[in-house]
């Protein structure tokens, strides 16, 4: 969304493509190889969950306190395809989603490898409209988000939604 706001649709497309393909590739590689690491060292997963939660809170604070677009440095260029694809490997949100999808669905059907590849492809396909909507949303709000009176409540709302969306669902409570 931020890239869409800062650079518009056309200049953000390589970034979008990198996120989509990078995330799908990450799921495939994790599912077809790195899962062994998690099986041998299961204590890594809770640490990753906590680190992911801390990162999400930090990111929410950065969003809440972000300045209006007019106060952001002018110029610059958006993240390119390779950088966006590579960023998935250090993005805690991507790790949380990838590990959740694999833990929930891999091996549910016959053929672990086929199910991992199916999940990777499906997640990449789902990322197209999901990330694309955010890009369009950002580009369409560019003028509006230049107004400090609008950007502050918008940023706080987006930060609250990020924290709410990263909250783990409650177990069956009566």
């Amino acid at each position: 969304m931020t890239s869409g706001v800062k650079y518009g649709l056309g200049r953000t497309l390589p970034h979008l493509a990198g996120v989509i393909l990078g995330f799908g590739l990450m799921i495939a590689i994790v599912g077809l190889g790195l899962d062994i690491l998690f099986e041998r060292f299961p204590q890594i997963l809770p640490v990753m969950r906590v680190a992911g939660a801390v990162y999400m809170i930090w990111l929410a604070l950065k969003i809440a306190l972000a300045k209006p677009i007019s106060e952001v440095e002018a110029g610059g260029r958006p993240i390119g395809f390779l950088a966006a694809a590579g960023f998935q490997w250090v993005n805690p949100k991507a790790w949380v989603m990838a590990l959740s999808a694999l833990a929930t669905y891999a091996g549910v059907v016959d053929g672990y490898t086929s199910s991992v590849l199916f999940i990777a492809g499906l997640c990449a396909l789902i990322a197209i409209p999901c990330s694309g909507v955010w890009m369009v949303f950002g580009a369409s709000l560019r003028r509006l988000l230049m107004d400090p009176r609008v950007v502050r409540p918008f940023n706080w709302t987006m930060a609250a939604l990020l924290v709410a969306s990263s909250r783990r669902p409650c177990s069956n409570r009566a």
Side-chain angles (χ1 to χ4, degrees):
M1 186 178 105
T2 301
S3 185
V5 169
K6 287 182 176 180
Y7 307 110
L9 296 175
R11 293 181 65 198
T12 300
L13 284 174
H15 179 159
L16 178 66
V19 168
I20 292 164
L21 294 175
F23 183 59
L25 183 61
M26 177 185 162
I27 291 175
I29 291 171
V30 169
L32 296 175
L34 288 181
D35 62 322
I36 295 166
L37 179 69
F38 299 120
E39 285 177 20
R40 289 194 180 146
F41 303 102
Q43 63 273 22
I44 293 174
L45 289 174
V47 171
M48 287 183 73
R49 283 189 192 106
V50 170
V54 169
Y55 172 77
M56 296 295 265
I57 291 168
W58 175 81
L59 187 59
L61 283 172
K62 297 260 310 167
I63 291 169
L65 302 174
K67 296 178 180 180
I69 300 304
S70 59
E71 296 179 30
V72 176
E73 280 185 36
R77 59 185 195 148
I79 296 172
F81 175 83
L82 290 176
F87 177 72
Q88 301 314 300
W89 290 93
V90 295
N91 181 354
K93 292 184 295 182
W95 276 98
V96 169
M97 288 187 290
L99 293 173
S100 297
L102 289 166
T104 304
Y105 301 110
V108 172
V109 296
D110 291 336
Y112 180 79
T113 301
S114 346
S115 68
V116 166
L117 294 176
F118 177 76
I119 291 165
L122 186 61
C123 285
L125 283 173
I126 291 169
I128 294 169
C130 293
S131 297
V133 164
W134 281 108
M135 178 185 69
V136 170
F137 185 56
S140 66
L141 291 176
R142 182 179 175 92
R143 281 193 201 163
L144 189 63
L145 294 178
M146 289 182 176
D147 183 348
R149 295 171 299 165
V150 173
V151 80
R152 297 287 180 220
F154 177 84
N155 286 352
W156 278 96
T157 300
M158 296 307 289
L161 289 171
L162 177 60
V163 170
S165 71
S166 63
R167 188 174 159 261
R168 197 173 185 158
C170 298
S171 59
N172 294 334
R173 292 185 184 173

